């Protein structure tokens, strides 16, 4: 008799617990789904914010780069102007440089003539000494 009452209450208890377990499982499943969708929404929102931030950073980098290229363009205009001025000055000085080259060539020829005259003078001096002995 003792074994029958002990077995009877456990069979009744699971039957009574089954509907209560099913109800919290449905509520928990809905809560989990809501939580999951909330987290997915937060994740997608965070990714979109990150992408927007990356685009803003890229835009700032492009603006800085454009400014730097603008500065380089101004500097290159200055370099081009200076180069044009130097070329004009060189063109002005070119006749004088040609004259300097011509004078240098004349000096080189004169040096050769002086060396030849010096050699000739030595030979004459040696001959004169021979004749005066």
């Amino acid at each position: 008799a003792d074994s029958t009452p002990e077995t009877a209450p456990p069979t009744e208890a699971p039957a009574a617990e089954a509907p209560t377990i099913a109800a919290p499982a449905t509520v928990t499943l809905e809560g989990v789904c809501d939580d999951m969708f909330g987290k997915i929404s937060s994740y997608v929102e965070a990714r979109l914010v990150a992408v927007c931030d990356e685009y803003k950073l890229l835009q700032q980098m492009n603006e800085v780069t454009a400014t730097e290229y603008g500065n380089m363009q101004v500097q290159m205009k200055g370099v081009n102007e200076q180069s044009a001025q130097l070329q004009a000055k060189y063109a002005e000085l070119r006749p004088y440089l040609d004259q300097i080259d011509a004078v240098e060539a004349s000096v080189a020829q004169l040096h050769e003539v002086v060396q030849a005259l010096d050699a000739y003078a030595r030979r004459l001096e040696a001959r004169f000494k021979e004749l005066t002995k």
Side-chain angles (χ1 to χ4, degrees), residues 2 17 24 26 29 45 80 92 118:
D2 286 334
E17 290 177 12
T26 307
L29 182 62
E45 184 179 346
N80 286 339
E92 289 176 17
D118 189 39

Side-chain angles (χ1 to χ4, degrees), residues 29-105:
L29 182 62
E30 287 176 9
V32 169
C33 287
D34 287 343
D35 186 45
M36 179 187 69
F37 285 123
K39 288 180 180 179
I40 289 173
S41 174
S42 295
Y43 171 76
V44 169
E45 184 179 346
R47 289 298 300 154
L48 289 174
V49 168
V51 168
C52 287
D53 288 345
E54 288 174 359
Y55 279 126
K56 287 177 186 176
L57 177 63
L58 185 60
Q59 182 180 6
Q60 290 173 351
M61 290 171 59
N62 284 339
E63 289 171 359
V64 168
T65 302
T67 302
E68 288 298 317
Y69 281 138
N71 292 341
M72 282 192 250
Q73 183 180 11
V74 170
Q75 289 176 351
M76 290 312 299
K77 283 182 183 179
V79 168
N80 286 339
E81 290 173 3
Q82 290 176 353
S83 176
Q85 290 173 356
L86 286 174
Q87 288 176 351
K89 287 180 183 179
Y90 180 75
E92 289 176 17
L93 292 174
R94 186 67 193 163
Y96 299 112
L97 295 173
D98 290 339
Q99 288 177 1
I100 290 171
D101 289 341
V103 168
E104 185 179 4

